[in-house]
Amino acid sequence: MRFDFFRRASEGAGAETGASTQPEAGCEGHLAYAMLLDAQRRVIGYRMAWRAAGAASDASGAAGVKALMDTLAMHLNPGDEGWLLGSQLLFVDVTVDALFQSELQSLPPQQVVLCMRADELMDADLRSILLFLREQGFGFMQCAGAVLPEDPELRSIVTHLEVGANDVDTVARLRQDAQLGHPPVEPVASRVEDWTEFDACASRRVNVFIDGAFRNPPVLETEDALQPESLLIVQLMQMLQRNEDLRVIEAALKHDAALTYRLLRYINSPAVGMAVEIHSLRHAVAMLGYSPLYRWLSLLLATSNKAGSPYMMKKAILRGRFVELVGQGMLPASEADNLFVAGMFSLLDQLLGVSMEGVLRKVQLTEAVQQAILSRGGLYGPFVALAESCELDDGQAARLSEALFLSPAQVNAAQLSALVWAQGASPAASEQ
């Protein structure tokens, strides 16, 4: 049955397009994603989209979905390594023609939710392919329609329902239906304006898609708001910058056994990939040197705010890694740690709840890093600006990447590689 579906789809497409198997014009484009958060603001998945080149391109059509699936499979599900995002889900907007593409088979069905309009899901002519894909393990999110199909067979296809932030009645009805024995349908909110609406969704156990425009509440204007652990990390970072004796640094670190444990845990994480286990700060310096240790202290600083949200921590780590990756090959290898710090520290005010000026009065950074953080200028600024544009999905990514002589494929690869890397580096994932 599987091969018959996709064989017939391929033959039909060939009849209309001259049987060309080459990628369609306009397939080149940039990847965009929103994070799916649970009630605790933890990232549990991503909604992926394709921004095809050209304003008139239909990014959710067959060509866009093919390009998106190929890109996701290449970087998230390589044949020799398998699925690299663990239990996290991918939500992908598709149209009818995309359902018949063999590229859907390039990702693990259990991790993919196909997002479609209600009228398309209820189309009787599509029932066979929808049931076939559901049997394989693909999920379906019904969009733009709060009423589920009455037909039990069609209803069994829908696994997620897009709801409004204040749609209390629909959420209550879904919970009641599940209690009555209907197949469970998870509500997902995608048009949430601020954290107040998010909290309203969280109180009803509704997962929420968050885009790059979301920010934490206004920050405090004084650096005195830094927590004790944050201040100790700042002190250690300044010692490293001054190349102070390792024994002095070790003595300062001994004041906080929990911090020592966290530092060693991160250094021994898969993201670092050390061949041997690191047991002490002295061992870490011997194996890594001062510069990489500074980088990992910066990661600890970004995650030191106990009141901070896992979402912001994940976002900062992803930005830091993305900036580092897109800068590889363009700047000397010695700049990698500075690129990472510049990317992650550009969100430090949001993470620590302190104004950026207050942070910079405490944390001594190079002039180039400060320029990137404050004005997106200097050596690292354009890379941070590109990262920010990709997060905001503001249509500027193509222009900014071209200015850095980066192809869309390079930018997309860096984004997805950062997602994979953050699986092992993010305390939001490792300390739940």
Side-chain angles (χ1 to χ4, degrees), residues 33 35-37 41-46 84-88 299 302-303 308-322 340 343-344 347 351 391 415-430 432:
Y33 65 83
M35 296 183 185
L36 179 63
L37 273 58
R41 303 191 182 185
R42 296 173 299 194
V43 179
I44 59 173
Y46 302 91
L84 301 180
L85 285 186
S87 61
Q88 295 188 327
L299 177 58
T303 60
S309 72
Y311 157 71
M312 286 303 303
M313 296 177 192
K314 187 73 167 270
K315 183 177 178 179
I317 292 168
L318 286 172
R319 183 183 289 190
R321 181 60 171 171
F322 173 81
F340 180 83
M344 194 169 61
L347 288 167
L351 285 162
E391 294 166 11
Q415 289 198 80
L416 295 176
S417 296
L419 293 185
V420 173
W421 185 86
Q423 287 292 105
S426 172
S430 63
Q432 289 174 13

Side-chain angles (χ1 to χ4, degrees), residues 32-100:
Y33 65 83
M35 296 183 185
L36 179 63
L37 273 58
D38 65 9
Q40 287 73 47
R41 303 191 182 185
R42 296 173 299 194
V43 179
I44 59 173
Y46 302 91
R47 188 169 189 173
M48 298 288 180
W50 188 258
R51 303 300 180 231
S57 298
D58 181 7
S60 63
V65 172
K66 180 183 186 304
L68 177 59
M69 291 295 182
D70 285 343
T71 300
L72 295 175
M74 181 186 304
H75 298 287
L76 300 182
N77 197 43
D80 57 339
E81 298 181 57
W83 182 243
L84 301 180
L85 285 186
S87 61
Q88 295 188 327
L89 296 173
L90 292 187
F91 289 71
V92 184
D93 290 280
V94 298
T95 51
V96 171
D97 53 358
L99 296 177
F100 296 90

Side-chain angles (χ1 to χ4, degrees), residues 1-9 95-102 104-105 114 116 120-121 123-140 153-154 157:
M1 182 176 182
R2 165 180 174 176
F3 295 105
D4 183 54
F5 265 122
F6 296 112
R7 177 179 58 78
R8 287 189 284 117
T95 51
V96 171
D97 53 358
L99 296 177
F100 296 90
Q101 291 189 343
S102 60
L104 283 177
Q105 309 301 309
L114 305 175
M116 300 183 66
E120 294 175 330
L121 285 170
D123 188 339
D125 294 335
L126 293 179
R127 180 172 300 197
S128 294
I129 183 63
L130 294 174
L131 288 170
F132 165 67
L133 292 172
R134 184 71 192 98
E135 288 172 2
Q136 281 193 304
F138 287 98
F140 284 91
E153 189 175 53
L154 278 178
I157 296 171

Side-chain angles (χ1 to χ4, degrees), residues 94-174:
V94 298
T95 51
V96 171
D97 53 358
L99 296 177
F100 296 90
Q101 291 189 343
S102 60
E103 283 74 21
L104 283 177
Q105 309 301 309
S106 62
L107 293 172
Q110 292 76 14
Q111 306 305 136
V112 178
V113 178
L114 305 175
C115 307
M116 300 183 66
R117 298 198 317 267
D119 61 321
E120 294 175 330
L121 285 170
M122 296 180 190
D123 188 339
D125 294 335
L126 293 179
R127 180 172 300 197
S128 294
I129 183 63
L130 294 174
L131 288 170
F132 165 67
L133 292 172
R134 184 71 192 98
E135 288 172 2
Q136 281 193 304
F138 287 98
F140 284 91
M141 183 168 78
Q142 177 178 309
C143 307
V147 179
L148 291 170
E150 294 184 4
D151 186 316
E153 189 175 53
L154 278 178
R155 185 165 184 152
S156 69
I157 296 171
V158 181
T159 57
H160 297 75
L161 179 66
E162 188 176 38
V163 299
N166 300 308
D167 194 349
V168 179
D169 293 339
T170 298
V171 174
R173 187 169 65 251
L174 291 178

Side-chain angles (χ1 to χ4, degrees), residues 316-336:
I317 292 168
L318 286 172
R319 183 183 289 190
R321 181 60 171 171
F322 173 81
V323 169
E324 177 185 6
L325 290 173
V326 293
Q328 285 180 354
M330 301 188 64
L331 297 178
S334 59
E335 300 288 353

